[in-house]
Amino acid sequence: MAAVNGTSHLNDGDIDYSDIDAKYQVELEEGFDNIVVLDGAPIVDKSKYEKLVAKLCKDFSKKGCVIKPENVDMPWDTAKGKTKGFAFLEFGSGDDASLAVSAMNGHKFDAEHTFFLNRFTDVEKFQDYDETFVEPEPEEFKPREHLRAWLADPQSPDQYVTFRGPEVAIHWHGKPSQSDVDIKRNRWADAYVQWSPLGTMLATIHREGVQLWGGLSWMRLRKFAHPLVSLIDFSPNEKYLVTMSNEPISLSRGPQMSFTEEDEGNNIAVWDMKSGELLRTFPAPTSVDDGQASGKRAHMTWPAMKWSADDHYVARITPGQQISVYELPGMGLLDKKSVKIDGVVDFEWLPHSDQDRDDAEKAAKGTGASKGKKVIKENMLAYWTPEVQDQPARVCLMAIPSRTILRTKNLFNVSDCKLYWQNQGDFLCVKVDRHTKTNKKPSFCNLEIFRVREKDFPVEVVELKESVTDFSWEPRGERFAIVTSSDPNLGNPGPGITIKTAVSFYQLERGKGDFKLLKTLDNNRATNVVRWSPRGRHLILGTVGSATKSELEFWDLDFYNEDIGRREPGKEEWGAGIVHLGTADHFGVTDIEWDPSGRYLATSASEWRHKLEHGYAIWDFRGQQIEKHHLDKFYQFQWRPRPRTVLSKEKQRQVRKNLKEYSRVFEEEDAAEESNVSAELIAQRRRLVDEWNAWRARCQREGGYEGQAKGESEAKKEEIEVEVEEIVDLTEEVLDD
């Protein structure tokens, strides 16, 4: 250190700046972010070098990653005169390099070589990693939430989901004290929501794919990345999921976690819901002509992949050519070949009954099926083919996997067919739209009903002179309802024109084995949909999608019958139990859905299909309105499905037999709840009165106006009378006739 004129001067070389440099050091870009290191390239000599580079550039360009041969550098082994099996690729920018790594990493160049790509800057970074092994700390075990815990509520309320604007909410529905919101989230879904078939999970649809939620806290269970997904479908037992996008799969748009180059160009993906694994992809379904002779436009059918009732098979149709059946979980083609069927238009799988499921569970446990009861050892599907020249139209029942044709029915003068299975698989109705030989337009209809559980599959024909616009089987029953019309405007309705319809009910006459007409309602109505209660017996007749009509009619088909089970009525009581319970109205109704218990019904008006008065309403089975909500930007309402009951047939019969005793307990609980509600209301009123008196007294104490004393004396003379109702006792007495 030296002093000049009393001032100290320091030599910079004597000061240590290392601590400051380390603290404020700035990482500079090396300029190699556009360089990619490619491993797994073939080792070639100079004679094959140019051909190798040209093929490499061509493969990259197919994935949207353009690179020129002069930007490919392969190091040489000078001793051997061959390349070393890796290369440096120089792209125009770092973004192009990132795209190449995501698109070409894992690319199979040929049968023996697979490319592995890394950015050059990452390779340098990996060299500085500490390779000392440090044993990871074990994660704390967290038990998973039970996905059906919502069923453990002792009051057994149901749930439903609503989608309104950006908000998705899940509600409880039961007694007034139980009807509240379970959870509400903003931006929970982008497109729509959908319950799984057994109600275990809720699927939310997003631009990036599908997410599944469940448990008491509604945690995310699984996500499936399928960009721009538009449609989804679950297998019946919730083992698999099908997703579809209108945009084909393309790896050039960015990294795809599950898809490979083999999936490019396909639109449909099949996933394993438990593992999240992609099983297989397929191209978009082929558009079909709905009735070749009717002149209707071709359309796409959904679901494009149809599941067998046990999730063992999934099938898709190539219209006019074949049905392809795939085995799960491998998704391999059954017997390595499709079922060739010339002209095939549509098919449907046989649903399994409760007995079929019981037998399957016993077979899986090795206990065998119940004695004396028929067991369906194979799955079954029904398909139909149209008339071609001199060949009649046909409906066939086929066993899978043996491909045995079990039954065939020839049909003539056919315009179109629709297949309707009863939910227990006891009956198959083929609605046949027919035309005369001179007129190719549908003019009348036949119902070809197959009794599937009987020997040789007998078929009964119900001939109708009108067109059938809606058909619906009674769940677990032997009845069906149809909506018919002979209105000349049918098929071409104009603005303000309401199609006139009639509604008819049919039931199986067990002694004869035929379906007999129970009752026909008048022809001057606007009904266009029939919705049965999931428990049978009750149904609703509705007018959906009309700008002028929106009536709802509630009916009971066993009003005078205490035993709701199967019966064999006499001639004098045939159709006598059909009673109209009530009529309601919901303007602009677009959707009608029963809750799983069959006690309540929801009607909704969605902004997707209607322009005015959006929202939803809930009714009981008699048509009494429980609640109604007018909501702007309301899109969707769905009841949460319930899984199959775990009670045995014997236990169910015992509960039904002692239903009056259980009802008495439920009525006592309802009365106690009403009493509690009344007590809470009384307490609330008393609290409000006390608050009012306290406020008034405070105002009088703090008031400084003239005549305060007089006001106080008058206030003291005021009396407030409050009427309070209090239930002391409730007695119910039944008087015998």
Side-chain angles (χ1 to χ4, degrees):
M1 179 181 296
V4 179
N5 296 329
T7 304
S8 298
H9 294 275
L10 298 178
N11 186 357
D12 291 347
D14 297 335
I15 302 177
D16 184 8
Y17 295 100
S18 60
D19 56 339
I20 299 177
D21 291 340
K23 183 176 181 180
Y24 297 102
Q25 184 179 5
V26 178
E27 297 288 341
L28 300 176
E29 293 290 339
E30 298 293 335
F32 298 118
D33 57 336
N34 64 327
I35 305 298
V36 172
V37 181
L38 183 148
D39 291 304
I43 299 175
V44 298
D45 55 20
K46 291 185 177 181
S47 63
K48 298 181 180 179
Y49 177 78
E50 293 184 0
K51 185 182 292 185
L52 172 61
V53 173
K55 176 69 165 58
L56 184 147
C57 294
K58 183 178 180 181
D59 282 15
F60 270 77
S61 64
K62 289 181 179 179
K63 297 296 181 69
C65 310
V66 179
I67 186 170
K68 298 180 180 179
E70 56 266 26
N71 294 331
V72 179
D73 183 16
M74 291 189 179
W76 287 85
D77 187 340
T78 54
K80 297 181 180 179
K82 296 183 178 181
T83 58
K84 292 186 176 182
F86 65 95
F88 297 98
L89 312 179
E90 183 178 356
F91 290 89
S93 65
D95 293 339
D96 292 342
S98 299
L99 177 61
V101 171
S102 62
M104 295 298 291
N105 188 38
H107 172 70
K108 291 186 178 181
F109 185 70
D110 55 30
E112 299 179 356
H113 299 88
T114 301
F115 288 166
F116 298 97
L117 281 72
N118 292 281
R119 299 182 65 157
F120 183 77
T121 52
D122 292 338
V123 174
E124 289 189 331
K125 189 193 310 180
F126 297 153
Q127 290 178 349
D128 298 332
Y129 277 179
D130 185 5
E131 297 184 2
T132 305
F133 174 74
V134 178
E135 184 176 356
E137 296 183 1
E139 295 183 5
E140 182 182 357
F141 172 74
K142 295 181 180 180
R144 191 175 184 181
E145 295 181 4
H146 199 293
L147 298 183
R148 292 184 177 175
W150 66 284
L151 295 171
D153 191 295
Q155 299 298 329
S156 301
D158 280 302
Q159 286 188 332
Y160 61 87
V161 62
T162 58
F163 183 20
R164 176 199 179 193
E167 182 181 271
V168 176
I170 297 175
H171 308 254
W172 290 101
H173 179 260
K175 298 176 182 178
S177 61
Q178 301 166 340
S179 298
D180 55 3
V181 177
D182 184 27
I183 189 171
K184 183 187 298 183
R185 290 177 182 172
N186 244 354
R187 303 290 179 186
W188 201 356
D190 295 335
Y192 62 95
V193 296
Q194 182 172 326
W195 292 107
S196 60
L198 304 180
T200 309
M201 292 159 281
L202 178 70
T204 56
I205 316 302
H206 309 264
R207 288 181 58 85
E208 298 79 11
V210 181
Q211 299 191 74
L212 301 181
W213 310 82
L216 289 176
S217 63
W218 292 103
M219 61 181 180
R220 186 171 65 184
L221 307 174
R222 187 75 61 190
K223 60 180 179 180
F224 304 91
H226 191 169
L228 303 177
V229 61
S230 57
L231 295 170
I232 68 170
D233 182 54
F234 292 91
S235 66
N237 298 304
E238 301 182 343
K239 294 182 179 179
Y240 307 101
L241 174 70
V242 180
T243 60
M244 175 184 165
S245 172
N246 293 324
E247 296 293 329
I249 297 168
S250 175
L251 302 183
S252 62
R253 295 176 184 157
Q256 305 287 336
M257 291 186 293
S258 301
F259 301 128
T260 64
E261 60 180 2
E262 296 179 357
D263 303 317
E264 279 202 293
N266 290 336
N267 301 75
I268 298 175
V270 182
W271 310 82
D272 186 311
M273 290 180 57
K274 188 175 183 179
S275 65
E277 179 186 0
L278 175 66
L279 301 181
R280 189 164 177 172
T281 59
F282 297 91
T286 306
S287 297
V288 297
D289 185 3
D290 189 5
Q292 297 180 357
S294 63
K296 297 181 181 179
R297 293 183 178 181
H299 68 285
M300 186 201 75
T301 59
W302 184 260
M305 312 289 293
K306 297 183 179 181
W307 296 90
S308 64
D310 54 9
D311 286 8
H312 288 170
Y313 304 98
V314 65
R316 68 187 186 102
I317 189 173
T318 304
Q321 300 179 26
Q322 62 190 19
I323 298 176
S324 301
V325 182
Y326 302 88
E327 295 183 274
L328 276 300
M331 284 301 296
L333 195 61
L334 179 64
D335 296 335
K336 298 183 179 180
K337 60 181 179 180
S338 300
V339 183
K340 302 292 183 180
I341 306 172
D342 292 336
V344 61
V345 177
D346 195 13
F347 75 98
E348 295 290 344
W349 289 95
L350 164 76
H352 281 188
S353 65
D354 294 338
Q355 186 61 51
D356 295 332
R357 295 187 179 94
D358 291 339
D359 292 339
E361 291 176 1
K362 292 178 181 179
K365 296 177 181 179
T367 57
S370 302
K371 294 183 179 180
K373 293 186 178 180
K374 183 178 179 180
V375 180
I376 298 180
K377 298 181 180 179
E378 290 188 292
N379 282 281
M380 183 194 303
L381 59 81
Y383 67 87
W384 78 277
T385 59
E387 292 180 281
V388 179
Q389 295 179 353
D390 296 333
Q391 297 292 329
R394 290 187 305 159
V395 176
C396 298
L397 303 180
M398 175 186 289
I400 297 294
S402 67
R403 309 190 185 203
T404 304
I405 300 297
L406 304 175
R407 182 72 159 86
T408 299
K409 179 69 185 296
N410 293 333
L411 306 171
F412 298 91
N413 301 330
V414 175
S415 299
D416 190 18
C417 288
K418 294 292 183 184
L419 308 174
Y420 298 94
W421 283 103
Q422 187 241 19
N423 74 329
Q424 293 290 295
D426 296 334
F427 309 102
L428 168 67
C429 176
V430 183
K431 182 177 76 70
V432 185
D433 294 330
R434 297 182 181 273
H435 57 261
T436 61
K437 294 182 179 180
T438 57
N439 186 5
K440 294 300 181 181
K441 292 184 179 180
S443 57
F444 60 100
C445 181
N446 281 5
L447 303 179
E448 309 276 343
I449 302 177
F450 293 71
R451 299 200 294 275
V452 181
R453 302 293 180 180
E454 300 180 24
K455 185 179 180 181
D456 298 328
F457 307 99
V459 181
E460 180 196 350
V461 181
V462 178
E463 296 184 355
L464 303 167
K465 296 181 179 180
E466 305 88 4
S467 297
V468 176
T469 61
D470 192 32
F471 178 97
S472 183
W473 283 107
E474 178 186 20
R476 303 173 182 272
E478 298 173 336
R479 293 179 289 210
F480 63 82
I482 57 174
V483 179
T484 59
S485 177
S486 56
D487 194 313
N489 295 313
L490 183 64
N492 297 297
I497 297 178
T498 301
I499 304 299
K500 296 181 179 180
T501 61
V503 178
S504 301
F505 307 106
Y506 288 79
Q507 178 167 332
L508 179 66
E509 193 172 11
R510 309 250 345 195
K512 299 180 180 179
D514 296 333
F515 282 88
K516 182 179 177 181
L517 178 65
L518 281 172
K519 188 173 184 178
T520 297
L521 306 182
D522 61 85
N523 291 313
N524 195 22
R525 59 197 313 113
T527 301
N528 55 17
V529 296
V530 177
R531 296 289 184 268
W532 285 91
S533 162
R535 302 295 180 183
R537 177 177 174 177
H538 296 97
L539 57 77
I540 183 172
L541 307 178
T543 305
V544 174
S546 173
T548 57
K549 299 286 186 177
S550 53
E551 291 183 350
L552 308 171
E553 297 182 25
F554 296 80
W555 291 81
D556 185 350
L557 268 64
D558 284 314
F559 187 78
Y560 301 111
N561 180 25
E562 294 183 358
D563 183 8
I564 305 174
R566 293 184 175 181
R567 64 190 179 99
E568 189 173 350
K571 294 182 179 180
E572 66 281 2
E573 23 175 60
W574 196 258
I578 301 177
V579 175
H580 181 214
L581 300 178
T583 302
D585 187 89
H586 186 167
F587 175 73
V589 59
T590 59
D591 299 279
I592 299 175
E593 185 179 355
W594 286 90
D595 83 318
S597 70
R599 294 176 295 175
Y600 301 99
L601 176 94
T603 57
S604 58
S606 171
E607 187 175 296
W608 289 334
R609 300 171 57 191
H610 188 68
K611 296 182 179 179
L612 300 173
E613 297 190 22
H614 310 129
Y616 68 93
I618 298 179
W619 320 76
D620 66 10
F621 67 93
R622 299 167 300 174
Q624 300 296 317
Q625 183 175 292
I626 307 298
E627 55 184 288
K628 188 171 186 178
H629 305 272
H630 292 285
L631 304 170
D632 292 334
K633 296 183 179 180
F634 180 82
Y635 303 125
Q636 210 175 356
F637 180 103
Q638 278 191 356
W639 290 104
R640 186 174 190 175
R642 283 179 173 260
R644 182 187 172 208
T645 179
V646 296
L647 296 179
S648 63
K649 293 291 185 182
E650 292 75 14
K651 186 65 176 178
Q652 293 181 49
R653 282 193 289 268
Q654 182 181 353
V655 170
R656 189 178 292 110
K657 181 179 180 180
N658 301 322
L659 189 59
K660 291 184 178 180
E661 297 180 9
Y662 294 119
S663 299
R664 188 175 294 109
V665 176
F666 297 148
E667 290 170 359
E668 292 175 358
E669 293 179 356
D670 292 343
E673 182 175 358
E674 290 180 3
S675 178
N676 292 334
V677 172
S678 299
E680 292 176 2
L681 183 60
I682 292 170
Q684 182 183 9
R685 289 175 177 174
R686 286 175 174 171
R687 185 175 65 254
L688 292 175
V689 171
D690 293 341
E691 291 177 357
W692 162 257
N693 290 332
W695 176 81
R696 185 178 181 86
R698 185 173 65 253
C699 291
Q700 291 173 350
R701 288 194 304 269
E702 297 176 355
Y705 58 89
E706 186 178 354
Q708 176 181 0
K710 181 180 179 180
E712 289 179 351
S713 61
E714 291 178 355
K716 291 179 180 178
K717 296 178 181 179
E718 293 182 3
E719 295 182 0
I720 299 176
E721 295 184 1
V722 178
E723 294 184 3
V724 177
E725 288 185 1
E726 188 170 356
I727 298 176
V728 178
D729 191 12
L730 181 65
T731 304
E732 181 179 353
E733 184 175 354
V734 179
L735 299 177
D736 296 331
D737 295 337

